[in-house]
Every structure is written in C-alpha cells, then in structure tokens.
Amino acid sequence: ITEYQSSGMILAMQWIVEGLRVAVLTTNGHLEILQENRNLPPQLLLDLPPISSSSAMSTIQPLIAWSQDGQHIAVNWGDNMVHIWSLSEHNKLLATYQGSHGPISALALSPDGTEIAVAAFDSTILSGTVDIWSVTNQSPVTTVGIYASAKIVAMAWSQDAETLLYCDQSNL
C-alpha cells in the first residue's frame, strides 16, 4: 500500500490497464497522473489545472477513462463536459465534448483513443443516450437512445472496438 498526498481531496481515481500509472481528480479541479515506483513514493507526472471553475463543486461524481494503450485520458469533472488529452503528445488537449442529453453518468474511450462513448440519463422521461464521438475529428459518429429504468453507470469497449457494453444501476 502506497500513500500519496494530493493537491486536494480526492474525488475519483483510476489505474491504467498496465497498472503503473493512476489518474486522480481532486476537489480543487486538478487532474494528477502518478507513476508508480516499486520502492519509492509515487512520482507526479502531470498536474493539469481545472478547465472550469464551477466543475470542481459539482454534486455529480467525476469520471475518468483511459484508452487501453494508455496514451489518451478523458475526464469529466461532474458537469456536462468531457476533456480528452493525449499523453503521448506532451499532454495536448485533443478535444472537448459537450453533452446535450443531461448529466454525464459514464464514459469510455475506445482502445486506441480515437472514439469516446458518453452516457447521459434524463430521469424525467426514464431514458438515456449514448453518444459516440470521434476524438480525431471532434464530431459525432452516432447517438443511441436507450430506454432504461436507471442511469447507465459503466461502459466498456471490446478490444477490437466493435462492441460497447453498458450497464445501468438496476444491473449491478
């Protein structure tokens, strides 16, 4: 077990598939990416400042998604925006997605980081949507309407990026 002192209270945390880096979102809106060192404290590789001042105060749970190759990371600070960075291109902000179907409840980057799936749920009409966007072109690929009795809380792409699996709160 390793201890890490972040720049603010931790709201969300997710390991990358390879298990050597972890992304941490804090209450002050920072995205911190840490590199694990076996016998040393974790090293801070990246500390991105907040994109918007209001997002860190949201009551909705922030979300983090890594691409399977570890080169892209998508972050939602609990609002209706998703920001996608390329870690292989000197932490370049690649795209910003703005949701239009309600609060974002789940997100998933395709294995190579070229597409992002973003789920939202409208509790007033008991339906949700999953938008799939091209990160490269910053344009929509498709939108799928989903009738669900509960919001989508998790999504995952297949290794070949042909299938997107989701589950809602009733399927946990």
Side-chain angles (χ1 to χ4, degrees):
I1 298 176
T2 302
E3 182 179 346
Y4 169 69
Q5 185 67 39
S6 71
S7 64
M9 190 169 77
I10 295 172
L11 297 173
M13 180 185 320
Q14 185 174 10
W15 287 98
I16 187 170
V17 175
E18 45 135 90
L20 298 177
R21 288 179 286 168
V22 65
V24 177
L25 287 178
T26 64
T27 52
N28 63 6
H30 284 247
L31 168 64
E32 300 169 1
I33 298 181
L34 307 168
Q35 175 79 39
E36 181 184 15
N37 292 324
R38 289 290 176 210
N39 296 314
L40 299 170
Q43 287 183 314
L44 182 64
L45 294 180
L46 175 62
D47 184 3
L48 295 172
I51 295 293
S52 65
S53 59
S54 63
S55 60
M57 300 304 292
S58 174
T59 58
I60 299 170
Q61 181 66 37
L63 302 166
I64 303 169
W66 288 95
S67 60
Q68 290 179 8
D69 64 8
Q71 299 305 308
H72 299 89
I73 189 166
V75 176
N76 166 259
W77 271 276
D79 54 13
N80 69 339
M81 304 285 286
V82 176
H83 307 282
I84 305 156
W85 284 274
S86 170
L87 301 180
S88 62
E89 295 180 52
H90 306 291
N91 308 323
K92 176 183 174 186
L93 181 62
L94 293 178
T96 299
Y97 162 86
Q98 183 167 352
S100 58
H101 305 287
I104 294 171
S105 58
L107 53 97
L109 274 166
S110 63
D112 62 2
T114 60
E115 292 184 338
I116 185 162
V118 180
F121 182 73
D122 184 341
S123 60
T124 62
I125 57 174
L126 292 180
S127 70
T129 58
V130 175
D131 290 337
I132 298 177
W133 277 72
S134 166
V135 173
T136 309
N137 300 330
Q138 296 188 32
S139 60
V141 174
T142 191
T143 297
V144 179
I146 298 170
Y147 173 78
S149 59
K151 71 180 178 179
I152 295 170
V153 294
M155 293 189 296
W157 289 92
S158 61
Q159 188 67 35
D160 63 5
E162 293 293 319
T163 304
L164 180 68
L165 180 67
Y166 74 89
C167 70
D168 63 35
Q169 287 175 322
S170 66
N171 291 325
L172 292 178

